[in-house]
Amino acid sequence: MIKILDKYIIKTFFGPFFFIFSVLFFILIVNIVWVQMSHFLGKGLTYFEIGKLLFYFGVSVINLVMPLSILLTSIMTFGTFGERYELAAMKAAGISLFRVMKPLFGVSIVMSFILFIFANNVIPSSQKKARNMLFNITQTRLALNFTPEQFIDQIPGFSVRFDEISGENGEHLKGIYIHKKASAYDNQQTIIAKKGLLKAEPLNKNYLKLTLYDGYVHEENLGNKNYQERLKQPDQSMKFDTLSQLFDISEIVNKALEQERITDDPRFKNFVELGEEITKAEKQNTEQFKRLGEELAAQTTPFLYAMDKHKDRFKNPQPQFEFSKLKEKEQLKILTNAHRHIENQKMTLNNRNSEMATIYDDFGHLVMYQHRIIALSLTCVIFFMIGASLGSIIRKGGIGMPVVIAIIIFILFYVMNLTVENLSWDGTLSPYWASWIPNMILTPFAIWLTRSALTDSQLFDIEKYKTFFKPLIRKFVKNKEHARYR
């Protein structure tokens, strides 16, 4: 009988779980589409390429979808049990609420382990593939990164501007302005054309070919000429009907290929690899902080350093001169030098603070990404305890009150995560504590709710709270006399 009951409870849980999981996954995917819209529109991507890129980005949201789905499903499941009086029937049969929660508690542990495996192996790989795919899009569709009516510097050595960009792959251009970057002592060249056609060279991906129509080439031959010669040098203009211009983009292509091989992003690493990076970073940071401290001490107080090194010579130091007896010009010179020295030290301190902030930020990212692989997995169990307890207390199924409560709890959890994350990355809070504080706050709340549910506490009984506050209300509110007694 117990085994049949366990099957029934698990079946009742997984029915809405898959539906809720799919809906939440779709909602977060839509959010990703909105954020990444600039990478999709006008890029000439096929539906398969867009779907593949969205899938890689969407895999990462499962870290949030899984705990929220468990929270919402557990509230709805136990709320439905209470609404149908199935919990009452189970208790009447001698089955405790703990025994009813037991099979789903085991399911939540299994889901927590699955999420850990997923976050440790699948998500880092999908993040890496998503980044690589974006790099490939940038490489193969370079012209599509141009923005109409703005000067852009994507082509090395040139500043270009297009009034209009059209075509399936953004190859048709109108209102073209091309200026060759050069110093004031080099030859200057500017090309203006009414329209053009931009295509990648099929035989060599390191070059872009721009065919221009109906325009002018303006040149100033200033190279290797002195000032007087440059003043006498006339401008040269040449009109053309068709002109082909090749742009060397090897620098961009090679950079994109190099970024594809990037492996030091913490989002691309699993738990073990992040642990190795943390150990290496701790040693490097210790050496770097020591070096910064020594440099700062030597620059800030060199005379103290000298006094500490030669203590015998400075047992009874005497001032070399009395400032008040100096001439006004000498006093001003000393004060000016002191002010300059203080400003230099302030600038040095600001630079060191920026450098240390970067170190804290990088180290915080490593620790947070590693510990959250475990922390978010354990959140599944905590959310189940909260959801099952609330559902058995509220005793309301469906998508009304349970959805509202689940969203409020998840928003609070998400805000706590963002808050401690920002505090960790700016060095205010240890990243080790920041990774676990949300779970540490929710765990006592989950235990208290579970205890209240097991003891049949009436937490959401409005009449109970009215009775408790009734004496206080009577002191401030007078009872209205019935109309018949007036």
Side-chain angles (χ1 to χ4, degrees):
M1 176 181 175
I2 296 297
K3 291 184 179 180
I4 295 175
L5 181 62
D6 291 343
K7 291 180 181 179
Y8 173 72
I9 294 172
I10 294 174
K11 182 180 178 182
T12 306
F13 176 84
F14 274 107
F17 174 80
F18 290 117
F19 172 75
I20 292 171
F21 184 89
S22 302
V23 171
L24 293 176
F25 185 79
F26 175 77
I27 292 173
L28 293 180
I29 283 293
V30 170
N31 179 62
I32 290 176
V33 172
W34 183 261
V35 173
Q36 301 291 339
M37 188 72 73
S38 60
H39 296 295
F40 303 147
L41 295 181
K43 302 299 184 182
L45 301 176
T46 65
Y47 291 114
F48 176 76
E49 290 172 332
I50 294 175
K52 191 176 181 181
L53 186 59
L54 286 177
F55 173 77
Y56 289 144
F57 276 117
V59 167
S60 60
V61 306
I62 293 180
N63 264 338
L64 297 177
V65 173
M66 181 77 82
L68 181 57
S69 300
I70 292 175
L71 173 64
L72 186 54
T73 307
S74 57
I75 293 178
M76 294 178 62
T77 301
F78 281 84
T80 303
F81 286 159
E83 191 175 22
R84 295 176 182 174
Y85 298 101
E86 291 177 328
L87 278 179
M90 293 176 190
K91 292 179 181 179
I95 303 174
S96 65
L97 179 61
F98 178 77
R99 181 61 188 84
V100 177
M101 295 171 62
K102 187 177 179 180
L104 291 182
F105 185 77
V107 169
S108 67
I109 293 176
V110 173
M111 286 185 171
S112 175
F113 181 74
I114 292 174
L115 183 59
F116 171 77
I117 299 298
F118 196 86
N120 189 55
N121 298 289
V122 180
I123 291 180
S125 176
S126 66
Q127 288 277 2
K128 187 175 182 179
K129 290 179 179 179
R131 289 300 182 89
N132 289 339
M133 192 169 181
L134 284 179
F135 294 151
N136 288 331
I137 292 173
T138 303
Q139 175 186 338
T140 57
R141 295 171 172 84
L142 178 68
L144 302 172
N145 294 327
F146 296 156
T147 303
E149 300 183 352
Q150 290 185 12
F151 281 97
I152 46 183
D153 300 323
Q154 292 188 8
I155 299 178
F158 293 89
S159 180
V160 299
R161 181 183 185 273
F162 307 129
D163 289 342
E164 295 182 19
I165 301 176
S166 59
E168 183 179 356
N169 294 318
E171 68 274 13
H172 296 292
L173 309 172
K174 289 184 178 180
I176 302 169
Y177 181 95
I178 304 173
H179 178 72
K180 184 179 180 181
K181 294 179 182 179
S183 68
Y185 300 97
D186 294 330
N187 292 338
Q188 307 291 320
Q189 184 186 74
T190 301
I191 303 176
I192 301 175
K194 291 185 177 180
K195 59 181 179 178
L197 184 65
L198 182 64
K199 287 187 177 181
E201 276 291 291
L203 300 179
N204 192 342
K205 64 180 182 179
N206 291 329
Y207 289 91
L208 280 177
K209 182 179 181 181
L210 176 60
T211 304
L212 303 171
Y213 303 98
D214 193 8
Y216 292 87
V217 178
H218 302 281
E219 290 187 353
E220 296 181 27
N221 297 321
L222 306 179
N224 298 322
K225 292 181 174 61
N226 58 36
Y227 179 74
Q228 295 298 330
E229 291 178 338
R230 284 191 284 118
L231 290 176
K232 299 177 182 179
Q233 182 67 33
D235 296 341
Q236 298 180 6
S237 296
M238 179 183 66
K239 188 179 184 306
F240 61 85
D241 295 327
T242 303
L243 177 67
S244 295
Q245 179 81 24
L246 286 178
F247 297 106
D248 185 0
I249 58 169
S250 58
E251 180 182 343
I252 298 176
V253 173
N254 294 333
K255 183 178 180 182
L257 293 174
E258 182 180 353
Q259 288 176 331
E260 285 183 348
R261 295 190 290 271
I262 236 174
T263 56
D264 57 350
D265 194 316
R267 287 171 292 186
F268 300 165
K269 301 180 184 298
N270 58 32
F271 188 85
V272 176
E273 291 171 344
L274 286 171
E276 295 173 352
E277 289 293 325
I278 290 172
T279 303
K280 187 189 302 181
E282 286 177 340
K283 295 180 180 178
Q284 292 176 350
N285 293 346
T286 301
E287 296 175 357
Q288 199 161 0
F289 286 147
K290 183 179 179 181
R291 176 183 60 80
L292 290 175
E294 292 175 351
E295 289 180 359
L296 193 60
Q299 293 175 6
T300 307
T301 56
F303 59 93
L304 291 179
Y305 177 78
M307 290 175 64
D308 185 64
K309 189 174 182 181
H310 306 283
K311 295 180 180 179
D312 297 335
R313 301 182 184 179
F314 298 96
K315 289 183 178 180
N316 297 310
Q318 298 295 330
Q320 296 180 359
F321 56 85
E322 190 172 344
F323 182 78
S324 59
K325 294 182 179 180
L326 296 175
K327 295 180 181 180
E328 183 178 352
K329 186 176 182 181
E330 294 178 347
Q331 289 181 351
L332 183 60
K333 183 178 179 181
I334 292 173
L335 291 175
T336 302
N337 291 335
H339 180 268
R340 187 183 297 112
H341 179 73
I342 292 172
E343 290 298 322
N344 290 337
Q345 297 308 316
K346 287 170 63 177
M347 186 180 298
T348 302
L349 285 173
N350 290 332
N351 293 335
R352 295 295 181 267
N353 285 334
S354 300
E355 191 173 348
M356 293 177 68
T358 302
I359 295 173
Y360 278 121
D361 184 72
D362 294 341
F363 184 75
H365 276 72
L366 288 173
V367 175
M368 290 287 288
Y369 281 124
Q370 185 197 37
H371 283 256
R372 279 197 172 176
I373 294 176
I374 300 178
L376 287 175
S377 301
L378 294 179
T379 304
C380 295
V381 180
I382 298 172
F383 273 7
F384 168 74
M385 294 174 63
I386 295 174
S389 303
L390 285 175
S392 61
I393 294 172
I394 298 173
R395 298 177 184 177
K396 291 289 183 181
I399 57 174
M401 182 63 71
V403 174
V404 175
I405 295 175
I407 291 176
I408 292 174
I409 293 174
F410 183 77
I411 289 175
L412 292 175
F413 173 76
Y414 189 70
V415 169
M416 283 190 294
N417 264 302
L418 291 180
T419 303
V420 297
E421 182 178 288
N422 292 331
L423 291 175
S424 169
W425 290 348
D426 64 12
T428 306
L429 183 66
S430 169
Y432 295 98
W433 282 102
S435 305
W436 293 98
I437 281 179
N439 283 354
M440 291 170 65
I441 294 174
L442 288 178
T443 299
F445 178 66
I447 295 173
W448 174 72
L449 276 180
T450 304
R451 183 177 178 277
S452 300
L454 294 176
T455 56
D456 293 326
S457 175
Q458 302 298 320
L459 288 176
F460 297 94
D461 188 355
I462 299 177
E463 295 300 326
K464 176 183 176 182
Y465 294 105
K466 284 184 178 180
T467 304
F468 179 79
F469 289 105
K470 195 171 184 180
L472 183 63
I473 295 174
R474 283 178 178 176
K475 294 181 179 181
F476 298 98
V477 180
K478 293 182 179 181
N479 292 329
K480 292 184 179 180
E481 187 178 5
H482 198 276
R484 72 167 65 178
Y485 299 114
R486 290 178 182 174

